[in-house]
Amino acid sequence: MLLSLVTVFLLLGTGQAQRTTPDFIMEYFQRQLQQLEGRLIKCEQDFQHFSRRMYDMSKEIHSETSKMNVLKSEVKGHIDTFALRLDRVERDVEYLHNKIPDTVQVDIEDSLLEQQVKEAKLKKTTVIPKGKDCSSEVVGIKSVKIVKKAGDANGSWMKDPTKGSANIYFFSGTRNSTVLAYTSLKTFTEPNSTKKTEVIRLPFPWHGTAHVVYNGFVYYHNADTNNEILKVHLSNRTVADRLLLPGAGRMPAYSLNPHTLLDLAVDEMGLWSIHADPDFSGNLVITKLDHSSLAVEHTWDTNCNSRDAEAAFIICGTLYVVYNSHYGGRSSIQCLFDIHDTIYTESIPVLFFPKRYTSHSTLRFHPKDKQLYAWYDGYQTIYKLEIKKI
């Protein structure tokens, strides 16, 4: 470096005599510093560019990993669905095989046999017997009585169908663990009814509005699960049994009540569940349950769709589905499914509810009173059904 400075001084000669040596040295060092700063700036720019590239690559890898996880979940879901449908087909084939007598040889055309198999799969008429009081159908809704306005906009209330019981059970909200019990409908409607209320704390919260009380137990959809039904003893608040309902919980049972993934019902024949099947075009599936063990007795794919449905109830093994609009309007029964095939559903007219411009959260049928205990927009209402003998 010193040699370079000396050489520069000699070349400049006398023309640079007027400039002092310190000034020249300072200018030289300034130029060197400027060049060094330029290199540092370029180095910093290159580093920032490299950092951006690394960040973009990290985001891309994370995005691809997320897509792979979603694809993995979808494949697993398809496999589970296929296994479920395969199991149902096997049960259908076994059922049809048992229904066809082995001792009689009948020649049937292939087209006719195929049509009969399709009809059998749609109807799935079962050997489950009707109750002794099951020889009637709903032909209208006589009257409506607004009993009370209490609780949240969505909820469920019902009268205990157990013989000799007049207890009223009150479930407010779509997620809760506190049930209020009243000794009678009169007690429930009294102004100071809270003083005569029994507070029941369930061991796990419920989800949606799918609850029923039957023979001293409460059955409900366990919160934070897609399809688990709990059976809880009302006296000691302990879980007596539980069931993972096959195929349920993948979509709302009724599109106008998205908080209810599966529904429960009680009629003259016992305990039922209702859910929608996305693999069956969103049609409703009903399942007969053993109320003692929660075992599945039989399952039917119905022709009633969950689209624009708000609630449903079952009477004598016949599913009645209630429809409305997203904007609220007059509810009506537009679809029926009879497991015994004794009601010619094609000839049933649309049955309208009394004029109420809102949507029902739940409809609970009481087999003895022949009444519906309904909840809409925080109002507890009773509908009187018009029933005739078949």
Side-chain angles (χ1 to χ4, degrees):
M1 176 68 72
L2 182 59
L3 181 59
S4 299
L5 289 173
V6 172
T7 304
V8 171
F9 291 150
L10 292 175
L11 291 173
L12 290 173
T14 57
Q16 299 292 332
Q18 295 178 354
R19 300 176 63 183
T20 61
T21 300
D23 291 339
F24 181 79
I25 294 174
M26 288 299 296
E27 290 178 0
Y28 176 80
F29 277 114
Q30 284 178 356
R31 287 193 299 272
Q32 293 297 318
L33 287 173
Q34 288 174 354
Q35 293 177 2
L36 182 60
E37 286 177 353
R39 294 189 186 117
L40 288 174
I41 291 173
K42 187 177 185 305
C43 180
E44 184 178 359
Q45 291 174 346
D46 293 341
F47 180 76
Q48 290 177 353
H49 177 72
F50 175 76
S51 298
R52 283 196 300 270
R53 288 286 300 161
M54 290 296 294
Y55 177 73
D56 293 340
M57 288 179 62
S58 175
K59 283 183 62 177
E60 186 176 350
I61 292 173
H62 179 73
S63 176
E64 293 298 326
T65 303
S66 300
K67 292 179 181 178
M68 289 295 295
N69 290 334
V70 171
L71 182 60
K72 179 181 177 182
S73 300
E74 290 179 353
V75 172
K76 184 178 182 302
H78 288 314
I79 293 174
D80 293 341
T81 299
F82 176 76
L84 177 65
R85 303 298 293 182
L86 180 62
D87 178 68
R88 184 175 294 176
V89 169
E90 289 176 350
R91 287 190 283 112
D92 292 342
V93 172
E94 182 180 359
Y95 172 76
L96 291 172
H97 178 74
N98 293 333
K99 294 290 287 184
I100 298 176
D102 297 331
T103 57
V104 181
Q105 299 295 329
V106 183
D107 294 328
I108 305 176
E109 293 182 2
D110 291 342
S111 60
L112 179 59
L113 178 60
E114 182 180 359
Q115 181 64 27
Q116 289 178 346
V117 170
K118 287 181 179 179
E119 291 177 358
K121 289 180 69 177
L122 178 63
K123 295 293 185 181
K124 292 185 181 176
T125 304
T126 180
V127 295
I128 296 177
K130 275 192 172 186
K132 60 181 181 179
D133 298 328
C134 284
S135 59
S136 58
E137 63 176 308
V138 177
V139 295
I141 302 167
K142 280 186 176 180
S143 59
V144 57
K145 178 183 179 182
I146 299 177
V147 176
K148 193 174 183 178
K149 186 180 190 305
D152 294 348
N154 296 303
S156 179
W157 76 298
M158 66 212 67
K159 183 180 177 181
D160 189 350
T162 306
K163 186 177 180 180
S165 175
N167 291 348
I168 298 293
Y169 294 92
F170 185 85
F171 300 76
S172 179
T174 57
R175 183 187 175 96
N176 202 341
S177 58
T178 301
V179 184
L180 303 182
Y182 303 85
T183 56
S184 66
L185 183 62
K186 181 181 178 182
T187 304
F188 175 67
T189 57
E190 290 177 352
N192 59 345
S193 59
T194 54
K195 297 180 180 180
K196 302 176 183 179
T197 303
E198 179 187 2
V199 179
I200 301 174
R201 305 288 185 185
L202 299 177
F204 299 97
W206 67 71
H207 179 84
T209 57
H211 345 289
V212 294
V213 173
Y214 190 58
N215 285 348
F217 295 88
V218 56
Y219 302 80
Y220 65 94
H221 179 192
N222 186 15
D224 302 322
T225 69
N226 286 335
N227 59 342
E228 185 176 47
I229 299 173
L230 294 182
K231 174 185 177 181
V232 176
H233 205 294
L234 284 170
S235 61
N236 57 26
R237 282 68 158 165
T238 58
V239 177
D241 218 328
R242 60 181 70 209
L243 165 70
L244 292 175
L245 186 64
R250 293 179 294 159
M251 66 180 294
Y254 318 112
S255 68
L256 297 185
N257 278 328
H259 45 265
T260 298
L261 296 178
L262 61 89
D263 200 3
L264 297 171
V266 171
D267 72 345
E268 297 85 349
M269 299 172 59
L271 181 64
W272 301 81
S273 71
I274 306 168
H275 72 273
D277 189 346
D279 299 323
F280 194 46
S281 302
N283 281 15
L284 294 178
V285 177
I286 59 175
T287 303
K288 182 66 177 67
L289 301 175
D290 185 313
H291 70 272
S292 298
S293 63
L294 282 185
V296 174
E297 296 183 358
H298 200 84
T299 298
W300 294 263
D301 293 333
T302 78
N303 58 327
C304 299
N305 199 269
S306 62
R307 183 179 177 82
D308 292 333
E310 64 179 18
F313 57 93
I314 297 177
I315 300 178
C316 291
T318 299
L319 174 71
Y320 295 82
V321 185
V322 180
Y323 295 86
N324 208 320
S325 70
H326 287 276
Y327 307 103
R330 194 174 180 186
S331 304
S332 60
I333 300 172
Q334 299 181 23
C335 187
L336 277 69
F337 181 85
D338 178 16
I339 67 167
H340 298 103
D341 202 22
T342 57
I343 300 177
Y344 185 58
T345 57
E346 302 299 330
S347 64
I348 301 297
V350 174
L351 303 178
F352 285 94
F353 280 69
K355 192 174 182 181
R356 297 288 167 194
Y357 292 103
T358 187
S359 180
H360 296 95
S361 295
T362 50
L363 292 169
R364 291 288 173 258
F365 174 68
H366 193 278
K368 183 179 179 182
D369 297 348
K370 308 301 181 186
Q371 296 182 143
L372 290 177
Y373 289 75
W375 185 302
Y376 72 89
D377 200 23
Y379 288 92
Q380 291 75 52
T381 307
I382 296 177
Y383 293 106
K384 186 71 174 179
L385 298 179
E386 184 179 355
I387 297 177
K388 75 171 185 178
K389 296 291 183 179
I390 299 177

